[in-house]
Amino acid sequence: MIRLIDVYKEYENGTKALKGITTRIDDGEFVFLVGASGSGKSTMIRLITGEVAPTHGRLMVNGYNLNSIRQKQIPFMRRTLGVIFQDFRLIEKKTAAENLIFAMQAVDAPPRDIRKRVPYVLDLVGLSGKEQCLPSQMSGGEQQRVAIARALVNNPRMIIADEPTGNLDPERSLEIMLLLERINALGTTILVVTHEKELVDRFSKRVIAIDKGQLINDETGGYYKNETV
Amino acid sequence: MKRFNGGYLITEGLTAIVSHGLMSFVAICIIVACLIIMGSFSLVAVNINYNLGLLEDKNEFLAYIDESLDDDVARGLQSDIEAVDNVRSVTFISRTEAKESYIADKEDSALYEDLPDTVFRNRFSVQVDDIEQMETTIDQVEQVSGIVKVSADLEVAQGFVVARNVLSGISLIMVVVLSIVSVFIVYNTIRLATFHRREEIAIMKMCGATNGFVCWPFVIEGLVIGLAGGLIAFALQWAIYELIGKAAESPAASFQFLSLVPFGTMAWSVLGVFCLAGFSIGVGGSLLSIRKFLNV
Ligand SMILES: Nc1ncnc2c1ncn2[C@@H]1O[C@H](COP(=O)(O)OP(=O)(O)OP(=O)(O)O)[C@@H](O)[C@H]1O
Ligand SMILES: [Mg+2]
């Protein structure tokens, strides 16, 4: 569960990226976060992952209070989150399976668990048979599936995806969204940042819209609203 | 926290060394060079100290007594001299004894048999504890009334003391300067390593790796570089020392009167110091370069 209460973020150079956001995302939800470029979507993600600290306001992530969290606890808070980016961020010299193994080793998972979990998750995202492929040998859609598998492999409570389909054609994008919907059905909370209107409108999900750092709409079963367009 | 998968961390550290082979190699070479320079200066200082120790076996001088004093009064001066600082022991040598030992040294002793005892003066043989303070001690003994003259061969001893003090000073400066240089080299090597792996580090952090887990491979990399430098420097230092020892023994050498401390007796200490230095340099340098990851 995520709670933001009156959250402000001002960057060192004075940019006010978020101006008083209050919202909450419950366990098991599937939420789209939409908004024009520069509206503060990625900033909100970075606040949730603990990459940046809020200038003002309260922030709770999966039971961790980020206002008072100790530096040492941040890695354990991050283990409750799986993060996906537009540019995949795979390790180019490691195969699909090795990228997942790397993520599990990073949290010091026992080798036994790694051997069991990696093939299972690769199969879940539809990549059986591609375990030994390097990212350069895979299509964009396949690479994003590896990234989703990596986000899932440590069994997080929530997946956060910042423009996961930004580099993919509409068909691949739909496949990725359907995959995320399936993962959500298995019990993982999903937060997807996107500005692909058609995609959002095809799903009847909760849509949070922000503009210029402020929340302008929040409707379940909503559609893409953007006052500025 | 549960146990770390040590095998993984060590493998990562070692693989990293191989994969930035050239930089690691350069770092090891520079550490070796620094350690050998420090080591050589220190070993020269050790040897000078050792030779000073040998000299201290001859740490005595003669104090001649005023001829006008009769023997009993002369003997009485002994306690005055014994009261001087740094004096270990005082032995009275009478005119007769002096003459006998003088003659014993000559080849054609018969020629000197007729010398009257009065040609020689009563004297004390004075032994000191600390050869470094011999000059002061001599001055003080000269001040004792009844003592007219003091003879000592100060120059060799003084030369050694000065040389040792200068060398100790230089060694200390070298140790400080070269330690900083070595730590800086390791710091840069590890910084390069973290730069090469910045994406992997970012991914590990994103996945929830702890700071310790992210940093261990780099610490191990630094540690191995430092220890490798220490061990290689030890082997080279030994070889250099033996070569110099051989050269010093050859008849052509002009400093044959010096004795070299055998390397074997110092091997463990040198090995210990080099390994400790390599360890500190390696771990210090890598900790410096990864400290920025500790709070991200
Ligand atoms: N590190 C930073 N330092 C200073 N300003 C920043 C930084 N990151 C983002 N900003 C600014 O904060 C505002 C919000 O940026 P943010 O990246 O959150 O937007 P976004 O909604 O994700 O946009 P996009 O859809 O283009 O990804 C922008 O004006 C941006 O220029
Ligand atoms: Mg963004």
Side-chain angles (χ1 to χ4, degrees), chain A residues 5-205:
Chain A
I5 302 170
D6 200 24
V7 168
Y8 286 76
K9 176 63 193 177
E10 182 176 338
Y11 283 106
E12 283 73 18
N13 63 5
T15 310
K16 292 183 170 66
L18 293 181
K19 299 175 234 173
I21 300 269
T22 301
T23 190
R24 96 183 242 169
I25 297 170
D26 285 318
D27 287 345
E29 278 195 276
F30 188 121
V31 180
F32 285 114
L33 175 61
V34 302
S37 186
S39 55
K41 306 183 296 294
S42 296
T43 300
M44 201 161 129
I45 301 299
R46 284 201 284 271
L47 281 168
I48 293 170
T49 59
E51 248 182 278
V52 297
T55 315
H56 175 87
R58 297 183 12 86
L59 191 53
M60 297 279 296
V61 174
N62 290 333
Y64 291 88
N65 180 346
L66 297 200
N67 298 98
S68 59
I69 193 167
R70 298 211 327 276
Q71 202 49 248
K72 267 188 160 8
Q73 286 298 316
I74 288 181
F76 298 95
M77 181 277 288
R78 287 196 181 133
R79 291 179 193 188
T80 68
L81 304 171
V83 192
I84 302 163
F85 301 93
Q86 177 174 355
D87 56 0
F88 319 138
R89 301 202 189 167
L90 299 174
I91 299 170
E92 289 298 321
K93 59 179 199 291
K94 289 192 194 288
T95 64
E98 286 166 353
N99 267 281
L100 269 59
I101 293 169
F102 181 77
M104 289 191 79
Q105 283 176 333
V107 299
D108 210 23
R112 256 169 43 98
D113 294 6
I114 296 180
R115 277 196 297 277
K116 272 199 311 208
R117 181 83 179 157
V118 169
Y120 168 77
V121 178
L122 278 173
D123 183 53
L124 184 70
V125 301
L127 282 179
S128 306
K130 298 267 179 186
E131 295 89 348
Q132 301 312 319
C133 290
L134 292 169
S136 57
Q137 298 166 331
M138 286 187 277
S139 74
E142 286 168 338
Q143 290 183 53
Q144 194 58 296
R145 284 165 190 271
V146 177
I148 292 172
R150 183 181 62 193
L152 271 177
V153 79
N154 289 324
N155 215 352
R157 285 167 62 178
M158 178 170 191
I159 287 207
I160 297 177
D162 193 349
E163 312 246 13
T165 59
N167 280 351
L168 304 178
D169 60 51
E171 218 167 306
R172 298 306 131 217
S173 300
L174 183 61
E175 281 174 20
I176 293 292
M177 284 307 171
L178 289 169
L179 174 59
L180 290 175
E181 193 180 34
R182 239 178 77 221
I183 291 166
N184 177 237
L186 294 173
T188 311
T189 315
I190 309 269
L191 172 62
V192 182
V193 172
T194 184
H195 39 220
E196 285 173 69
K197 190 175 179 353
E198 296 75 25
L199 213 49
V200 174
D201 291 344
R202 284 182 79 136
F203 293 82
S204 182
K205 303 288 184 192

Side-chain angles (χ1 to χ4, degrees), chain B residues 99-115:
Chain B
K99 178 184 155 193
E100 278 161 8
S101 76
Y102 179 78
I103 292 170
D105 278 352
K106 302 294 173 190
E107 283 173 19
D108 35 7
S109 38
L111 276 178
Y112 302 89
E113 288 291 356
D114 295 337
L115 276 173

